Amino acid sequence: MNKIIKIVFLFFAIASFAQNDSTKVYKKRVLESTEVDFLMSYYKQDGNNASVTGGIGTEELTDITPTIVVSYPLNDDDVLTVDVGISAYTSASSSNLNPWDSSGASGGGDDDDDDDDDFGNRAVGVGVEGSPWVASSGASEADTWVGGSVTYSHSSDNRNFIWTGHASFSAEYDYTSIGFGGSIAKLFNEKNTELNIGAQVYLDTWSPQYPTELDSYLETSGNLNNGFFSGVSIWDQNGSEIDKSGNSGTIWSPENYNYINDKARNSYSVSVSFSQILSKRAQGAIFFDLVQQNGWLANPMQRVYFSDKENYYIGNPESIPVYTTNENTNVFHLADDIERLPDTRIKTPIGLRFNYFINEYLSLRTYYRYYFDDWGVNSHTVNIEMPIKISDKFTLYPSFRYYTQTAADYFAPYNEHLSTDQYYTSDYDLSKFDANQYGFGVSYTDIFTKAHIWKFGIKNVDLRFHQYNRSNGLSAWIVSGAIKFIMQ
């Protein structure tokens, strides 16, 4: 009898404790333990429409991007995530900010301040060569982007309300960015329906780098016999050397050009998404973003050439007739100005997602987005991925993406803008083009994390490859990998 009384008493005691502190007994943690993701990608591209050299020239670029993401559960409801990465690239196009520098940033020129207006090892009076089709070895040939973000997320006891806040910072040699924002998510209908609203702010600042000839033109107040231009021959379109003093005719004079004053670029965005589980097999979502940008939205590194201005060159005049082909390896067209674009832009993407579970081996993931902005760009994106589960641990990910866009109102190819235009760019990212991307990936998942490295169990390994081709000739590929560890 006493044993029964003790058991009944113990039962009510446990029930009372659970009722008074139910969150500690029954509430599942948002994140059970610390997770660490290591990500790495290698990207390579090539093409013939480099924007730094006015819409023609090599676009060869390589980029390697290691990243680490750590998600740490502060308690049952709160998760802190830290994301840190770098992007180290070499760019033939960017190197031609100074196409005449064959010495590199520390190649023994007159100074070692890494300015792109240094002229390498050129002695005064010696002929020089440069080409949009040949990479130089100046300071802008390579750079490293460094960035990181911190995100704090809190979930309500019933997990039907989640708010998130984050801050970020990134920098490279000519640009810095500070960002912050947050979002709220509300789940309804036994978590079958979700509404998410977010806002982001990015406050960016240029440290402008200008094409060498334009920068030097202002430094010498237009005197082509001083500074950078001292002892250097300038040729007209016919390959005749000009009188740089202007006594016998016209000379190269980029009168539209001046330094930028507003070095800020600010972006503000609001996003809304709504997702719904439609059935046991289907899920759909719709999203809408509104982005406003203001400040200096052009790139000061990118040259522009005017069709109503005479052409002038530095280098080998015999190569002028083949300037726009890769046969040209030793002559360079002096710029008329840098890219100039409106100081405001409003961008609006609207999209849909639909995922369908076909069977235990095959799923379908689809995505469509329509985009438009007030610069005249309209685009459509369609993406299809079909995960194929070949075992309990391995899944294959074939995918295809199609993209098409119209040209911005301010785009024109090399040497086709007019000097009377207010805005102009020859950046082919703002041109009309179609693009296809083919991808394939494989994923290994072990929910029991049997494999270990020190105190970390390996939960997931991903490896993916994508091939990208544009109708304007740009081609690229990227291979990426990720490993997710769970601390045990």
Side-chain angles (χ1 to χ4, degrees):
M1 185 68 175
N2 289 336
K3 178 182 275 190
I4 294 176
I5 293 175
K6 290 180 180 179
I7 292 174
V8 173
F9 178 82
L10 181 61
F11 172 81
F12 281 105
I14 294 174
S16 176
F17 177 81
Q19 185 177 7
N20 293 333
D21 198 4
S22 60
T23 60
K24 293 185 178 179
V25 175
Y26 293 111
K27 185 167 64 174
K28 181 178 176 61
R29 293 169 64 90
V30 175
L31 185 65
E32 292 295 333
S33 58
T34 300
E35 295 183 352
V36 180
D37 290 273
F38 290 99
L39 304 95
M40 177 75 76
S41 67
Y42 180 81
Y43 172 86
K44 185 176 179 62
Q45 75 169 40
D46 203 358
N48 301 316
N49 300 117
S51 53
V52 173
T53 46
I56 62 168
T58 176
E59 294 179 271
E60 186 176 356
L61 181 146
T62 60
D63 178 82
I64 185 169
T65 308
T67 304
I68 182 171
V69 182
V70 180
S71 299
Y72 178 74
L74 300 173
N75 50 49
D76 290 349
D77 306 321
D78 303 311
V79 176
L80 182 68
T81 302
V82 178
D83 182 335
V84 178
I86 64 173
S87 175
Y89 71 84
T90 59
S91 170
S93 172
S94 294
S95 76
N96 280 323
L97 189 65
N98 180 358
W100 303 282
D101 191 342
S102 61
S103 65
S106 58
D110 292 336
D111 56 52
D112 59 356
D113 60 4
D114 288 357
D115 289 342
D116 275 299
D117 57 1
D118 295 342
F119 211 44
N121 285 327
R122 181 187 65 81
V124 173
V126 177
V128 294
E129 296 179 350
S131 167
W133 303 96
V134 179
S136 78
S137 55
S140 56
E141 177 191 22
D143 189 27
T144 300
W145 172 95
V146 179
S149 65
V150 177
T151 303
Y152 183 91
S153 178
H154 173 80
S155 300
S156 63
D157 289 342
N158 60 13
R159 304 303 186 239
N160 286 333
F161 183 79
I162 304 166
W163 66 263
T164 301
H166 74 86
S168 64
F169 174 81
S170 64
E172 49 191 316
Y173 85 109
D174 65 339
Y175 201 78
T176 59
S177 176
I178 297 173
F180 54 90
S183 65
I184 57 173
K186 178 66 177 177
L187 284 74
F188 307 91
N189 189 24
E190 297 182 348
K191 296 183 173 59
N192 290 319
T193 306
E194 180 177 342
L195 175 66
N196 194 300
I197 302 174
Q200 316 283 337
V201 175
Y202 291 97
L203 306 176
D204 304 344
T205 305
W206 286 99
S207 177
Q209 308 294 309
Y210 302 99
T212 297
E213 68 273 31
L214 294 175
D215 193 19
S216 300
Y217 181 84
L218 290 188
E219 287 183 352
T220 61
S221 300
N223 188 337
L224 301 184
N225 290 301
N226 284 340
F228 173 88
F229 302 99
S230 177
V232 177
S233 296
I234 297 179
W235 314 91
D236 64 17
Q237 184 65 47
N238 297 319
S240 300
E241 185 175 2
I242 69 168
D243 178 359
K244 293 190 295 183
S245 299
N247 296 323
S248 59
T250 60
I251 61 172
W252 174 67
S253 177
E255 64 270 13
N256 288 5
Y257 175 69
N258 53 66
Y259 293 134
I260 66 175
N261 295 317
D262 183 4
K263 299 179 182 179
R265 171 188 280 185
N266 300 326
S267 302
Y268 312 92
S269 66
V270 176
S271 60
V272 179
S273 66
F274 177 84
S275 64
Q276 176 67 48
I277 296 177
L278 304 172
S279 68
K280 292 182 178 180
R281 294 176 178 267
Q283 180 187 38
I286 183 171
F287 63 86
F288 167 83
D289 293 334
L290 181 63
V291 181
Q292 181 182 21
Q293 294 181 296
N294 57 52
W296 187 263
L297 304 185
N299 189 333
M301 294 177 64
Q302 298 180 175
R303 292 174 173 87
V304 171
Y305 297 92
F306 300 135
S307 60
D308 58 341
K309 294 292 183 180
E310 298 290 335
N311 298 332
Y312 296 99
Y313 303 83
I314 289 179
N316 178 11
E318 295 181 359
S319 295
I320 293 175
V322 294
Y323 183 81
T324 59
T325 74
N326 57 15
E327 294 180 40
N328 164 32
T329 61
N330 52 17
V331 70
F332 196 89
H333 188 176
L334 297 176
D336 291 320
D337 198 4
I338 57 174
E339 175 185 74
R340 298 188 184 274
L341 293 168
D343 59 5
T344 62
R345 187 181 189 183
I346 296 177
K347 302 190 287 187
T348 308
I350 303 171
L352 300 168
R353 294 183 185 273
F354 179 76
N355 299 333
Y356 190 78
F357 179 80
I358 299 173
N359 55 45
E360 60 180 315
Y361 301 107
L362 185 63
S363 299
L364 175 67
R365 299 175 181 174
T366 64
Y367 168 89
Y368 169 77
R369 189 190 76 160
Y370 172 68
Y371 166 92
F372 62 96
D373 64 31
D374 58 352
W375 286 9
V377 177
N378 295 268
S379 72
H380 300 270
T381 306
V382 177
N383 191 83
I384 299 174
E385 185 178 70
M386 296 192 69
I388 304 170
K389 190 173 183 180
I390 58 176
S391 72
D392 291 340
K393 295 183 177 181
F394 288 93
T395 304
L396 304 180
Y397 292 91
S399 65
F400 172 75
R401 178 180 181 269
Y402 173 76
Y403 177 83
T404 182
Q405 78 169 35
T406 60
D409 297 335
Y410 319 111
F411 172 82
Y414 165 76
N415 214 27
E416 293 189 18
H417 283 289
L418 296 176
S419 61
T420 54
D421 294 338
Q422 183 178 9
Y423 303 115
Y424 31 80
T425 177
S426 294
D427 185 346
Y428 272 72
D429 286 345
L430 294 173
S431 71
K432 178 182 178 181
F433 67 87
D434 302 326
N436 295 304
Q437 179 176 290
Y438 306 88
F440 185 80
V442 59
S443 176
Y444 167 85
T445 302
D446 182 2
I447 61 174
F448 300 107
T449 61
K450 294 180 179 179
H452 288 77
I453 296 178
W454 192 48
K455 295 182 180 180
F456 293 90
I458 299 177
K459 181 179 180 180
N460 199 88
V461 180
D462 279 291
L463 184 64
R464 305 209 178 192
F465 174 85
H466 292 91
Q467 174 69 44
Y468 175 83
N469 298 294
R470 275 190 191 177
S471 56
N472 57 29
L474 178 71
S475 64
W477 58 266
I478 183 172
V479 58
S480 58
I483 303 177
K484 180 186 289 292
F485 295 93
I486 296 179
M487 180 174 284
Q488 296 179 326

